Amino acid sequence: MLFRVIHKLLPRKSRTPQQAWSYKEWWNRAAGTIEQAYEATISASDENLYRSRGWHGEEDIVGAKQLIGKFSLNDKSRVLEIGCGLARIGREMAPHVAEWHGADIAPRMLEHARKRCAGVSNVFFHEIHSAENLKALGAPAFDFIYATIVLMHLDKEDLFEYLRTAFALLKTGGSAYFDTWDITHPDIFAMWRRHAVTGDAKPRGRIQCCAPAEFRVYIEESGYAITRFDTGGRLMRASCRKAGDAPPPVSNDGLPPFGYVGQPANESVVQGRLRVDGWCLDRVSEIQVIVDDQVIGTAALGRPWPGVAEMYPRYMPASTASGFEFECPVDSLPAGRHELKVVAIDDEQRSTCLTGQYRAFTIAKPSSRASAGTHGAL
């Protein structure tokens, strides 16, 4: 049923004026009347059916009943829904929690939602324009934050920013729930492909999807510890918690190391000494420097490398000392071009060639003047 709803909302490829709409305009137009708003959020023909789905959920879609039970919400819980729409879930959840807050970018959606929740004293609505506006709600402020049937309408950068902002609003020890469509499911891929819009300007409300590994990266790099990750249906569903203000460290993920080689640059000229440096993460035990397929030494580990800790906070404290360096004279190598490989090996012997497909350097021949200087004649 949700598919039929989305198909109605999707812009026809010939209707290019929609491409200029913002998120706010797109959803505001979808909520022109309460009937249109029902269809835009989850297909329902009347208020009774809408309330039933808000409590019980449907197919892959969660309702208030599932969230209250799964996350042990009670009369002391302060809850925030991002992209609340008509408060489908919030209207049913509010009587069971201390406060329910709904944030949305579409004022018409919120207008309908306020009417639906009239008389419910612990419901609060917030019109926002972006993730940045959510910060005004105060941090950390909530015991539980969720976004359901909304992330699949966001550009990936915006999805990630909403997750990061929600993490900042969540109390330490608090829980979160997020879902989005799984592009690896055949039904979802077929729907996405059928309605894909190509070109420079794309409608804001278009279908967007994630692969499971991609969705996990967005969530974990936002700081959450994932306690359960459900796939297999059209929706991926992630249950999370905030273990602390710092992101949880990365456990053994079964993947090889990754990193970057700074020096020498490809096709650079080396004189006197060869210096190799860069950074590498993920349980690194050894970095081999290989010239022309011969190991000539191993790099020293544990050096600082600016920016890595900020970029990869989940790898703390290793990311604060992720740099490596190696230096040796080039006397034993003939002049001319040489191929360089820098191979990182982890503690389970998984390896990565950090120099990628090809990295070469040239040892310059000493000039005749330099040679004369060596013998004391100028």
Side-chain angles (χ1 to χ4, degrees), residues 63-231:
K65 179 181 180 180
Q66 291 84 29
L67 294 176
I68 290 169
K70 181 179 292 188
F71 296 98
S72 302
L73 305 181
N74 55 43
D75 59 5
K76 294 181 173 57
S77 302
R78 199 162 184 256
V79 177
L80 169 66
E81 179 177 358
I82 298 173
C84 67
L86 296 181
R88 172 179 62 89
I89 291 176
R91 172 65 180 80
E92 313 311 316
M93 182 182 288
H96 304 272
V97 299
E99 293 180 6
W100 180 89
H101 292 251
D104 203 279
I105 60 173
R108 287 181 184 170
M109 282 286 185
L110 293 177
E111 180 183 342
H112 295 312
R114 288 188 179 96
K115 292 177 180 178
R116 291 192 66 246
C117 296
V120 185
S121 60
N122 64 336
V123 167
F124 306 90
F125 292 103
H126 310 274
E127 182 183 344
I128 60 174
H129 302 277
S130 66
E132 182 69 22
N133 302 132
L134 284 174
K135 297 175 182 178
L137 300 183
F142 296 96
D143 302 289
F144 178 60
I145 298 176
Y146 66 101
T148 179
I149 318 300
V150 66
L151 298 181
M152 64 277 288
H153 294 291
L154 298 177
D155 291 344
K156 300 301 176 64
E157 300 89 341
D158 296 315
L159 181 156
F160 184 53
E161 197 58 31
Y162 273 105
L163 292 177
R164 282 162 47 90
T165 302
F167 182 82
L169 294 175
L170 194 61
K171 296 177 182 178
T172 299
S175 299
Y177 169 87
F178 306 108
D179 59 37
T180 194
W181 276 325
D182 182 354
I183 192 65
T184 65
H185 190 285
D187 287 351
I188 297 300
F189 180 81
M191 179 177 64
W192 173 82
R193 185 67 188 92
R194 186 162 58 251
H195 296 281
V197 178
T198 59
D200 294 333
K202 296 180 174 62
R204 283 294 193 182
R206 70 191 187 279
I207 290 175
Q208 306 227 37
C209 314
C210 291
E214 178 190 8
F215 195 38
R216 286 191 71 105
V217 167
Y218 294 140
I219 294 170
E220 291 179 338
E221 292 297 339
S222 297
Y224 304 92
I226 296 178
T227 56
R228 177 165 179 157
F229 193 79
D230 293 314
T231 60

Side-chain angles (χ1 to χ4, degrees), residues 321-338:
S322 61
F324 61 83
E325 61 183 20
F326 171 85
E327 191 168 338
C328 73
V330 296
D331 299 348
S332 60
L333 297 173
R337 179 175 288 161
H338 300 273

Side-chain angles (χ1 to χ4, degrees), residues 185-364:
H185 190 285
D187 287 351
I188 297 300
F189 180 81
M191 179 177 64
W192 173 82
R193 185 67 188 92
R194 186 162 58 251
H195 296 281
V197 178
T198 59
D200 294 333
K202 296 180 174 62
R204 283 294 193 182
R206 70 191 187 279
I207 290 175
Q208 306 227 37
C209 314
C210 291
E214 178 190 8
F215 195 38
R216 286 191 71 105
V217 167
Y218 294 140
I219 294 170
E220 291 179 338
E221 292 297 339
S222 297
Y224 304 92
I226 296 178
T227 56
R228 177 165 179 157
F229 193 79
D230 293 314
T231 60
R234 295 166 177 173
L235 276 177
M236 295 176 287
R237 300 175 299 281
S239 301
C240 321
R241 63 184 297 269
K242 182 175 181 177
D245 291 330
V250 175
S251 58
N252 186 356
D253 55 12
L255 299 175
F258 63 96
Y260 166 81
V261 175
Q263 295 184 79
N266 192 26
E267 302 294 1
S268 59
V269 176
V270 174
Q271 290 182 308
R273 301 184 69 82
L274 171 65
R275 177 178 172 81
V276 178
D277 65 15
W279 62 266
C280 191
L281 284 173
D282 207 0
R283 303 163 66 94
V284 181
S285 62
E286 182 182 30
I287 294 181
Q288 296 179 344
V289 178
I290 303 170
V291 175
D292 299 332
D293 292 325
Q294 297 294 319
V295 177
I296 65 169
T298 57
L301 303 172
R303 307 300 199 258
W305 192 277
V308 177
E310 180 182 356
M311 186 176 294
Y312 298 100
R314 290 198 303 121
Y315 289 84
M316 295 278 280
S319 56
T320 62
S322 61
F324 61 83
E325 61 183 20
F326 171 85
E327 191 168 338
C328 73
V330 296
D331 299 348
S332 60
L333 297 173
R337 179 175 288 161
H338 300 273
E339 185 171 353
L340 172 71
K341 294 179 181 177
V342 179
V343 176
I345 304 170
D346 71 8
D347 55 8
E348 294 188 7
Q349 298 303 300
R350 293 175 292 238
S351 65
T352 301
C353 183
L354 302 179
T355 42
Q357 297 293 330
Y358 180 77
R359 180 79 63 105
F361 64 93
T362 298
I363 298 176

